[in-house]
């Protein structure tokens, strides 16, 4: 079965401090577009919703715009920016670097299903 959806009409939108997520759900694919405004940091904006010490969502992502710094629980730290494809396992914090909003696509599914959802 062929399925096509447009991001202009996402299946759901979740707002959180300094950002939001839009998700489409299809057979075999849950896709998310995250927008993080300058000043956004997971440990400040999403941690209170998630109720965990660090982000426990696996990400397979692609950065469209802006720069995002990611720090793993073990202290490893890297920055991603426009054109970067990344895989980030659970157990991290992240924050916007600079004054440009970050727009990232996430293909892993867990973000579209669970991210910033209160239990």
């Amino acid at each position: 079965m062929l399925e096509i959806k447009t991001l202009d009409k996402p299946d759901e939108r979740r707002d959180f401090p300094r950002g939001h997520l839009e998700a489409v759900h299809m057979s075999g694919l849950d896709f998310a577009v995250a927008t993080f405004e300058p000043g956004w940091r997971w440990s400040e904006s999403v941690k209170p919703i998630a109720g965990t010490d660090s982000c426990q969502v696996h990400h397979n992502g692609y950065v469209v715009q802006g720069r995002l710094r990611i720090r793993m629980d073990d202290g490893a730290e890297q920055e991603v920016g426009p054109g970067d494809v990344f895989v980030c396992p659970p157990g991290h914090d992240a924050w916007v670097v600079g004054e440009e909003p970050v727009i990232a696509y996430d293909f892993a599914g867990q973000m579209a299903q669970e991210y910033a959802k209160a239990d």
Side-chain angles (χ1 to χ4, degrees):
M1 171 177 60
L2 176 64
E3 286 182 84
I4 300 171
K5 291 190 176 182
T6 177
L7 293 175
D8 293 337
K9 295 179 183 175
D11 293 320
E12 63 179 309
R13 177 182 166 125
R14 286 180 230 134
D15 293 296
F16 42 84
R18 295 192 173 114
H20 67 272
L21 174 141
E22 295 171 319
V24 294
H25 306 289
M26 304 168 76
S27 299
L29 175 66
D30 290 290
F31 177 79
V33 178
T35 301
F36 305 124
E37 299 297 334
W40 176 88
R41 186 176 185 121
W42 184 90
S43 55
E44 297 169 4
S45 297
V46 182
K47 179 179 178 175
I49 300 166
T52 56
D53 288 335
S54 60
C55 181
Q56 296 301 307
V57 170
H58 176 92
H59 304 281
N60 292 342
Y62 173 75
V63 179
V64 177
Q65 171 186 308
R67 301 203 65 79
L68 191 67
R69 190 87 182 161
I70 303 168
R71 179 181 298 139
M72 302 304 297
D73 288 350
D74 68 3
E77 197 172 305
Q78 291 204 22
E79 195 169 298
V80 294
D84 289 341
V85 176
F86 65 95
V87 174
C88 182
H92 57 272
D93 192 8
W95 59 92
V96 172
V97 175
E99 296 303 315
E100 183 177 21
V102 170
I103 298 174
Y105 297 160
D106 194 300
F107 297 87
Q110 190 180 10
M111 187 167 192
Q113 296 166 353
E114 301 173 16
Y115 192 84
K117 255 190 185 174
D119 287 334

